[in-house]
Amino acid sequence: MVLTKISEMLNQFSPANLKIANYILGNYSEIGFISVEDLSNHSGVSKASVVRFARIVGYSGFDELKKAIQSELRKKLSPYEKIAITDLDRRSLQKQLEELSRNEINNLRKTLDSLTPEEAIKWVEAIIEAQHIYLAGFGATRFVISLLSYALATFQSKPLWMLTGSVSDFSPRVKHMESKDLLIIMTFPPYSKEFEYVVSVARKKGTKILLACDSPQCPVFPYAYSAVICESNSLLLNNSFVGPIALIQIISNFLLLREKKTGMKEMKEIWNVELEGYKYIAKEGGEEE
């Protein structure tokens, strides 16, 4: 986050840069919508100093810094507020499509940048080594992580448990967690208390945790064995799930490549079961002979 980056660098700034930093930290919600001239006047420094400040904190210029802040501010807005302030509806259909597509491409690019080979290997090896696998997702995220559950069930045979709903729904399952098990969790703002509770149980049991989330500011980020940041910026909705779905696709394929023989065996068994199922359904009335 821009705020975090600036806060961590406060002791390194020159007097001019410190003035800019303090103004940004104190008026963060305004910065995404003001000009270089405005920030220069409010901070009491030159426009050139503002541009240099943006570069010092890791951006090509003030425009890129401002866009990063705008992106973070949008994440804090409700869908109603996003719709209320957008000007997309005043643009042509072609421009709307271009802007929406550009946003999702950016989500995908940032997610893939976060997924290093080292982290991918951690995920694959943790899945292979696990005795049982628990997959947790709440709200809309439960539909996304169910894709991973389906993929894992397709080419491996170890038990899978979906954790979703209320505490009373998943407590009979989490009580069986052990240190040899694995918890895979996906969570995006607004974070639910249920997922924090699931993670607290996993920590007590010594269960390894794989996390897909939107930011290091996620409440359980420090407790993950491996965490992949999935950019989830949506121009109009709470979250975009392009990044998380891409992560699921890549990890599933990585796993299949690592466990090729096992995957082929499991998928062949599924194919045979499906053939038997279709034969059964094709029978008149679906009755046994």
Side-chain angles (χ1 to χ4, degrees):
M1 290 181 68
V2 179
L3 274 180
T4 303
K5 187 181 294 185
I6 292 175
S7 298
E8 291 175 348
M9 297 178 67
L10 283 176
N11 293 333
Q12 307 170 34
F13 289 143
S14 66
N17 287 333
L18 192 57
K19 289 181 180 180
I20 300 170
N22 286 332
Y23 186 82
I24 291 175
L25 294 176
N27 304 272
Y28 192 65
S29 60
E30 301 174 9
I31 302 303
F33 308 98
I34 66 175
S35 65
V36 172
E37 291 81 0
D38 292 333
L39 183 53
S40 168
N41 292 333
H42 289 310
S43 304
V45 300
S46 68
K47 290 187 288 185
S49 294
V50 172
V51 175
R52 284 195 295 270
F53 175 85
R55 291 172 179 166
I56 287 171
V57 295
Y59 299 92
S60 61
F62 180 69
D63 283 346
E64 187 179 7
L65 170 63
K66 188 164 72 170
K67 286 179 181 178
I69 293 173
Q70 288 173 347
S71 176
E72 291 182 2
L73 289 173
R74 276 198 297 269
K75 290 180 181 180
K76 296 180 180 180
L77 298 176
S78 69
Y80 172 81
E81 291 170 320
K82 289 181 181 180
I83 294 170
I85 67 171
T86 187
D87 64 351
L88 273 177
D89 54 318
R90 295 192 291 274
R91 303 184 193 181
S92 68
L93 290 176
Q94 181 63 34
K95 291 296 183 183
Q96 290 176 11
L97 179 60
E98 289 175 0
E99 186 67 21
L100 292 168
S101 299
R102 189 180 302 114
N103 181 69
E104 298 304 343
I105 291 170
N106 188 53
N107 285 334
L108 180 60
R109 178 181 59 79
K110 288 187 176 181
T111 300
L112 297 182
D113 286 345
S114 173
L115 181 61
T116 63
E118 292 77 17
E119 294 306 314
I121 290 171
K122 281 186 177 181
W123 277 61
V124 169
E125 290 184 345
I127 291 170
I128 291 172
E129 294 169 1
Q131 178 175 269
H132 304 100
I133 299 176
Y134 296 82
L135 301 105
F138 299 91
T141 312
R142 72 184 185 274
F143 299 110
V144 181
I145 203 164
S146 68
L147 298 175
L148 179 57
S149 176
Y150 180 83
L152 294 179
T154 301
F155 47 78
Q156 60 93 51
S157 59
K158 63 187 63 177
L160 302 170
W161 299 96
M162 279 289 294
L163 307 178
T164 190
S166 67
V167 173
S168 59
D169 292 323
F170 59 75
S171 56
R173 293 177 178 175
V174 297
K175 74 174 184 178
H176 296 296
M177 272 188 184
E178 298 179 1
S179 59
K180 294 181 180 179
D181 296 337
L182 175 67
L183 171 64
I184 304 176
I185 190 162
M186 288 189 166
T187 183
F188 301 92
Y191 305 117
S192 69
K193 286 295 181 181
E194 286 84 357
F195 96 89
E196 292 186 46
Y197 174 65
V198 169
V199 170
S200 72
V201 173
R203 292 181 65 205
K204 289 177 183 176
K205 303 268 190 173
T207 304
K208 191 173 286 184
I209 300 168
L210 299 180
L211 173 67
C213 64
D214 66 308
S215 163
Q217 275 64 51
C218 173
V220 300
F221 189 88
Y223 312 126
Y225 167 70
S226 174
V228 176
I229 302 298
C230 296
E231 185 67 24
S232 61
N233 181 48
S234 175
L235 298 183
L236 298 175
L237 303 175
N238 266 339
N239 294 291
S240 163
F241 294 113
V242 168
I245 291 173
L247 171 64
I248 289 171
Q249 182 73 6
I250 291 171
I251 293 299
S252 298
N253 281 277
F254 257 119
L255 184 61
L256 193 52
L257 290 172
R258 284 289 297 272
E259 296 276 277
K260 190 174 180 179
K261 288 184 178 179
T262 301
M264 290 173 63
K265 175 178 175 292
E266 294 295 327
M267 293 176 79
K268 185 176 181 180
E269 288 183 12
I270 289 176
W271 177 252
N272 290 333
V273 170
E274 286 183 354
L275 287 178
E276 290 299 318
Y278 289 130
K279 288 178 183 178
Y280 179 86
I281 292 170
K283 292 176 184 177
E284 186 176 352
E287 297 179 355
E288 294 282 358
E289 293 181 349

